[in-house]
Amino acid sequence: MSTLAEGFSDSIKNALAVLPEKPGVYLMHDAEGKVIYVGKAVVLKNRVRSYFRNLASHTPKVRAMVAKIAEIETIITSSEVEALILECNLIKKYRPRYNISLKDDKSYPYLKVTMQEDFPRLHMTRRLMRDGAKYYGPYADAGAMYETMKLLKTMFPLRTCRKMNPDRPCLNYHIKRCLAPCAGYVSKDEYGKMIKSVCMVLDGRTTELERDLKQRMQQAAEEYAFEEAARLRDQLQAVERLNESQKAVTNNGGDMDIIGFAQDMTGNCLQIFFVRKGKLIGRDNFFLQDGGEAPQEVLTAFIKQYYNEATFIPREIVLPQLPQAEEQQLIELWLREKAERKVELLTPQRGVKRELLQLANDNALKLLQERLRKGSLSLKNDEQAAEELQQALGLAHSLERMDCFDISHTQGSETVASMVVFRNGSISKKDYRKYKIVSAEGKPDDFKSMQEVVYRRYKDYEDLPNLVVIDGGKGQLSSALEVIRGLGLADLPVVGLAKREEEIFIPHQSTSILLDRDSAALHLIQRIRDEAHRFAITFHRKLRGKRNLVSVLDHVEGIGPKRRQALWKAFKTLDAMKAASVEELASVDGMNSTAAQALYDFFRLELPEKKEVLR
């Protein structure tokens, strides 16, 4: 045992000594208790101990992980398949640092058909729930998902309202975008046939849907239901156009997912082609960060995580490289139980499937190359702009960090300041700060406001920038400089940027700097100034909106703070308050008939100044 865990803590040695010889899942924790890795094992004792044997033979990533392990937790399961499912769910829950993460901290959308409702809706969701609804996805390309949803709502007059209003149908009915189930204009059975058609499109069963629509259209015509026949004809034509746009790729009419793979120094890309009934109906791509794993490991992790969430599992999953033999058998068994039919993982050597796989691989590689090119180009441009600005201003140090300040208020009220930060020419939102100004509240004084914000920012000397940009001319620059130099920051470079001519003012220089209109340096300093202005005015509008929400009732005689609070609690919104009768207003706690009548009359005044307040 000593040779097995040489150099490790007693808690690790004790954990290794009592590992069970059963299938299950293991969780590795660091010194802070955070889960850094989740894995599964046929025999927990053998698998977990293997991490602590022959460390030199492990990959750098595994060695780095083992060095951080402070605690080992195990969960015994009744079978290998149960361990695999639990592993997927725990990786999704904890997002461990050393696991391959499919979603890369993003939440992919699904299309949801609310089959649990009498008249189902189609909408987007990011949450999978066991509520009886049908889910389609996940969609890595949200734009493609919205296009699909738009197409289906054009083809089929589905209801879109969350709560049906039985009083009268909405505008969608009158423009023929809804069958108005709320008003009883369509039966549950007829609406259900339309929902079935929607699901057939999402399943890729367009040929079968064509046959169904033709049959229903002919039946409606024979029954002289010409309006219904015309509606079915329009749907049929839309499906035919969709069918023509989908490329037939196999003759056997089968369902399969073809997963292409590419890897470079920036990460991994997987491209999935969805083939349904022999037709290529769409594709998705996923990017995964590179942790030094072999392609086989990445593909295996991807299959487990993707199909743990996927709403449809085809009969065949085509891969450039199969998992290890035992792992492949386990995954196929798990997928078979999940899909309730046989599911096969395969790597074709020739034929149409091989050609499609190569095409998916080529697409994955192309996406990686494009991402690398765009990323490096953007980084290069930002860094070059920062270097160009440094030279234009004659600064000794590179602009690793730039702080920019702006003030926003309305005639002195709700005065706020913003600080935005660029690092090496790129936005660094985690460093942004916003300030409520107290020294100049109630009167417009940008100079005093600027002095307050720079004092609050630099009084503690934390994370000092290489350049401070003040949004304003010589006056704002002088005000800020007085405080900054007074704090003892004699060497901190500070400049002002005037809006009119884009002049850059330098302390103790009589002439301003005018950068070339097409220079990257000017574009950079404009970007940081505009971003500071956007951030400040957004914060100011938020505070002003909160103030105005309350101030509406301040104009009503007899409404004080307690009655105002009671009114908001009772009616929630201004519109509800406006629509209330005098009796309903008077019934609120603390109100009386006089105050209620005054409020009722106030809402019905036609004074321009009062309208401005209500907006």
Side-chain angles (χ1 to χ4, degrees):
M1 181 66 199
S2 60
T3 57
L4 177 67
E6 191 71 37
F8 291 97
S9 65
D10 290 339
S11 62
I12 294 292
K13 293 177 182 178
N14 293 336
L16 294 175
V18 295
L19 288 168
E21 296 186 25
K22 292 183 178 180
V25 173
Y26 54 92
L27 297 87
M28 306 297 199
H29 298 258
D30 63 12
E32 297 176 356
K34 187 176 180 180
V35 177
I36 59 174
Y37 188 77
V38 174
K40 65 162 182 60
V42 179
V43 180
L44 284 168
K45 180 178 181 180
N46 298 342
R47 183 70 185 101
V48 176
R49 284 188 171 193
S50 68
Y51 286 100
F52 300 88
R53 288 194 182 98
N54 303 322
L55 287 178
S57 64
H58 291 314
T59 64
K61 178 181 175 180
V62 173
R63 290 199 298 271
M65 180 192 76
V66 171
K68 289 182 170 63
I69 297 174
E71 182 186 349
I72 302 169
E73 177 186 357
T74 59
I75 303 172
I76 297 172
T77 59
S78 58
S79 67
E80 295 175 53
V81 172
E82 188 180 322
L84 187 149
I85 297 169
L86 181 58
E87 177 196 32
C88 291
N89 291 332
L90 290 175
I91 290 173
K92 179 183 175 183
K93 178 180 179 180
Y94 292 112
R95 296 276 179 224
R97 177 181 176 182
Y98 291 98
N99 279 98
I100 299 170
S101 178
L102 162 61
K103 291 196 174 181
D104 198 20
D105 296 329
K106 293 189 289 293
S107 176
Y108 289 109
Y110 294 82
L111 283 178
K112 177 178 180 178
V113 183
T114 57
M115 301 299 291
Q116 73 275 27
E117 297 177 335
D118 288 340
F119 298 95
R121 294 180 299 126
L122 172 70
H123 65 93
M124 184 275 285
T125 184
R126 293 182 185 273
R127 295 179 59 197
L128 283 174
M129 302 173 66
R130 294 185 178 180
D131 54 1
K134 278 190 175 182
Y135 294 86
Y136 296 89
Y139 291 86
D141 184 352
M145 182 212 66
Y146 281 113
E147 283 298 318
T148 301
M149 187 162 63
K150 181 180 177 182
L151 172 65
L152 287 170
K153 288 183 177 180
T154 303
M155 292 167 60
F156 303 101
L158 301 166
R159 80 174 180 95
T160 56
C161 50
R162 293 188 178 184
K163 294 182 178 179
M164 295 194 296
N165 181 4
D167 296 337
R168 57 187 175 86
C170 65
L171 178 63
N172 282 337
Y173 168 74
H174 297 290
I175 62 174
K176 301 189 183 303
R177 287 294 182 90
C178 180
L179 298 179
C182 56
Y185 292 177
V186 62
S187 68
K188 182 179 175 181
D189 181 59
E190 192 63 29
Y191 192 92
K193 290 178 181 177
M194 182 173 65
I195 289 296
K196 180 183 176 184
S197 299
V198 171
C199 294
M200 290 171 77
V201 172
L202 290 169
D203 286 331
R205 295 156 53 197
T206 51
T207 304
E208 186 179 339
L209 176 58
E210 278 187 55
R211 288 197 300 267
D212 181 61
L213 288 173
K214 282 179 183 177
Q215 182 181 353
R216 288 167 56 195
M217 180 182 69
Q218 290 167 359
Q219 184 178 346
E222 289 170 3
E223 295 172 356
Y224 302 103
F226 297 118
E227 254 188 63
E228 174 67 8
R231 186 172 62 82
L232 291 168
R233 177 204 61 204
D234 293 341
Q235 290 178 9
L236 176 61
Q237 289 173 350
V239 173
E240 285 173 344
R241 287 194 297 271
L242 177 65
N243 209 5
E244 287 170 4
S245 68
Q246 295 173 346
K247 181 182 177 182
V249 292
T250 64
N251 295 323
N252 60 8
D255 297 335
M256 70 179 92
D257 286 353
I258 298 162
I259 303 177
F261 176 78
Q263 185 179 60
D264 67 9
M265 60 183 176
T266 64
N268 308 286
C269 179
L270 296 107
Q271 174 95 178
I272 310 181
F273 287 169
F274 302 110
V275 177
R276 301 293 180 262
K277 304 299 178 184
K279 292 188 176 182
L280 181 61
I281 67 166
R283 64 179 184 174
D284 269 345
N285 57 76
F286 297 85
F287 290 99
L288 298 153
Q289 291 184 348
D290 182 40
E293 300 89 353
Q296 186 182 48
E297 292 181 71
V298 178
L299 285 162
T300 301
F302 176 80
I303 294 165
K304 291 190 288 187
Q305 293 183 55
Y306 179 79
Y307 289 105
N308 188 49
E309 296 289 328
T311 55
F312 177 78
I313 301 172
R315 293 183 181 276
E316 294 181 337
I317 299 172
V318 179
L319 300 162
Q321 193 169 346
L322 293 173
Q324 293 181 356
E326 290 184 3
E327 189 81 357
Q328 179 183 346
Q329 292 175 6
L330 179 61
I331 292 172
E332 288 180 339
L333 176 61
W334 165 57
L335 293 176
R336 187 181 306 137
E337 291 181 2
K338 193 174 171 68
E340 298 182 348
R341 53 177 162 68
K342 183 180 178 181
V343 178
E344 183 183 4
L345 306 183
L346 57 98
T347 301
Q349 301 302 314
R350 63 183 68 85
V352 175
K353 294 177 185 177
R354 179 65 190 178
E355 292 172 6
L356 286 169
L357 178 60
Q358 186 58 51
L359 185 61
N361 287 337
D362 292 343
N363 273 270
L365 180 60
K366 180 173 174 286
L367 286 169
L368 266 186
Q369 290 171 342
E370 285 178 357
R371 192 173 75 154
L372 176 62
R373 181 181 60 80
K374 289 178 182 177
S376 61
L377 184 62
S378 174
L379 182 62
K380 184 179 179 182
N381 288 344
D382 289 342
E383 290 177 344
Q384 283 180 343
E387 185 178 342
E388 188 178 317
L389 181 59
Q390 175 202 345
Q391 293 172 355
L393 298 178
L395 301 177
H397 299 286
S398 61
L399 300 181
E400 293 181 8
R401 173 174 175 142
M402 297 167 58
D403 291 358
C404 183
F405 296 90
D406 189 25
I407 306 295
S408 183
H409 58 81
T410 301
Q411 296 180 341
S413 66
E414 305 296 348
T415 304
V416 301
S418 69
M419 181 192 76
V420 301
V421 177
F422 277 34
R423 291 186 181 272
N424 295 313
S426 300
I427 285 174
S428 179
K429 286 197 174 183
K430 67 177 182 179
D431 296 311
Y432 283 18
R433 298 291 182 270
K434 51 192 176 186
Y435 303 85
K436 288 184 180 180
I437 299 300
V438 295
S439 62
E441 182 57 30
K443 54 186 181 298
D445 192 337
D446 288 358
F447 297 160
K448 195 169 185 179
S449 300
M450 189 63 73
Q451 287 183 324
E452 178 184 331
V453 68
V454 295
Y455 174 78
R456 289 166 64 180
R457 164 66 179 93
Y458 298 119
K459 62 185 174 66
D460 296 324
Y461 291 79
E462 291 181 358
D463 199 7
L464 293 177
N466 305 103
L467 176 66
V468 177
V469 179
I470 303 298
D471 183 15
K474 290 182 178 180
Q476 283 94 334
L477 175 61
S478 298
S479 301
L481 203 63
E482 181 182 341
V483 172
I484 291 172
R485 297 296 181 248
L487 289 170
L489 300 171
D491 299 325
L492 182 60
V494 185
V495 299
L497 179 62
K499 291 183 175 68
R500 182 174 296 177
E501 299 294 335
E502 307 292 1
E503 296 175 271
I504 301 175
F505 293 102
I506 309 292
H508 313 302
Q509 285 190 17
S510 57
T511 57
S512 60
I513 295 176
L514 286 173
L515 298 174
D516 186 84
R517 287 289 175 185
D518 297 323
S519 70
L522 178 61
H523 294 160
L524 172 60
I525 205 165
Q526 285 173 331
R527 278 175 61 211
I528 194 170
R529 187 270 313 279
D530 293 344
E531 180 67 1
H533 180 68
R534 180 201 64 79
F535 194 48
I537 202 168
T538 300
F539 184 38
H540 169 67
R541 283 171 177 167
K542 182 179 179 182
L543 294 182
R544 189 179 64 191
K546 288 182 178 179
R547 183 200 67 194
N548 288 346
L549 191 66
V550 176
S551 70
V552 171
L553 301 184
D554 289 343
H555 294 74
V556 185
E557 186 178 352
I559 305 294
K562 289 186 178 178
R563 283 178 174 172
R564 186 174 62 220
Q565 186 177 4
L567 285 165
W568 284 117
K569 184 176 180 181
F571 293 101
K572 311 300 183 191
T573 68
L574 196 61
D575 287 337
M577 215 179 295
K578 287 181 188 179
S581 66
V582 175
E583 291 75 17
E584 288 171 329
L585 292 170
S587 67
V588 174
D589 289 343
M591 289 288 288
N592 57 34
S593 58
T594 304
Q597 186 66 53
L599 182 58
Y600 183 84
D601 293 341
F602 170 79
F603 282 133
R604 283 149 186 82
L605 289 174
E606 292 296 335
L607 298 177
E609 59 269 24
K610 198 260 323 181
K611 284 185 177 179
E612 183 66 30
V613 172
L614 289 179
R615 277 206 298 269

